[in-house]
Amino acid sequence: MIDTPSSVSVPLKRGRDYAIRYTSLRDLPGILHDVGLRTGKCVVVTDENVGAQYRSPVRTALSSAGWIPHVITVPPGEKSKSADQLQVLYDDILEWGIDRDTPVIALGGGVVGDLAGYAAATLLRGVPVVQCPTSLIAHVDSALGGKTGINHATGKNLIGAFHQPNVVVADLDTLGTLPQREWTSGMAEVIKHAVIADADLFSFIEEHLVDVMTGRRRDLIHKMIPRAAKVKAEIVAEDEKESGRRAILNFGHTFAHAIESVAGYGTFTHGEAVAIGMRAALFLSAQRNTQAIPRENIDYVLRAIPQQHDPSELDWQDVRRAMQSDKKNKGDVVRFVLLDRLGQAYVTGDISDAALRQAWDFATRP
Ligand code: NAD
């Protein structure tokens, strides 16, 4: 059975632990106080969609508690993770005036979290950052773990820094306004966390598949998300800078990055591409370990993520070439994350071309 925690801890070395606090955004000032941030100026970065819903209540809550918030709203979408948008933030924030104790509060999805997090990592050689995730991906993935950054013309996330948040303030009710396609894309990452590290969470999702995927039932979501976040928190705690175990979070991502790149970024959402990639990785895992992997159950759950485009229309040779140039490869070896069994994953580079082709055919059929 899965319970509903009010907080999940992210234990890090050298006393830099932080918590994910499940509460209302109205409680933000109290939590800032709890983690030792001194009342004064603060910067809130959000995007237009999220800002339209939550900028006002957050500003009011902060002002009422004695903070002086400066709210900056960026355009929504991946294009805001750019050097140009970062420069806009630098100019605005430095002109307004901050000191090294001024927190940057990232209120939004992964784009805002990565952009504002990187601004916080670099301004004055690092100011505190507080992540307030509002998309499902941000709740279970991007707001946790300290990776921040922007894109470069030659690829995604190529410029960045590790900068851990002081605290993550997670108001699950913000998910009520998230568009359905963003929701189901985020579910791909939730399912990924279950499959690589939490078999009980997988059973929970399987049991309530329609109610979480389509119905977005509040009681179920409030159990599922902290549990999925805990998987990421535990893996990050073991391997903060991705030198070892953290790589298993890339389950499904070797195929996914290739799909996104070949189809053109934005055609498939990241989560849709990851769902296809996980089906391919599942096929390869089951081929090696037939008895241990409940392939039909996992595949049934992965196929519940709706696809807006038909991946079988992509050319396999293009996808294969794109996998070869993935930035997570070590030298020429393409690395894949596979399952030993449900809830346990490992990294390998040892897969034949013929097996990859079979996996692709499996993953791209409806
Ligand atoms: P996003 O921030 O673009 O959000 C998706 C869309 O949903 C946007 O249009 C946004 O305005 C909207 N939105 C978000 N919350 C909303 C809400 N509550 N109500 C209404 N609309 C809302 O993208 P995302 O899917 O959250 O995250 C993807 C980004 O995260 C990518 O740039 C990816 O590289 C990054 N990422 C980073 C990490 C990391 O470890 N740092 C991990 C995974 C993904």
Side-chain angles (χ1 to χ4, degrees), residues 305-321:
I305 293 169
Q307 294 290 343
Q308 312 281 327
H309 298 275
D310 180 358
S312 68
E313 286 177 4
L314 301 177
D315 183 72
W316 163 243
Q317 292 304 335
D318 290 344
V319 174
R320 180 70 188 86
R321 264 192 300 277

Side-chain angles (χ1 to χ4, degrees), residues 47 49 78 81 109-111 114 134-135 142 147 157 174 177 182:
D47 75 18
N49 297 336
E78 195 67 30
K81 266 176 60 173
V111 164
D114 281 8
T134 64
S135 69
S142 60
K147 277 195 195 175
N157 298 323
T174 58
T177 53
E182 301 296 343

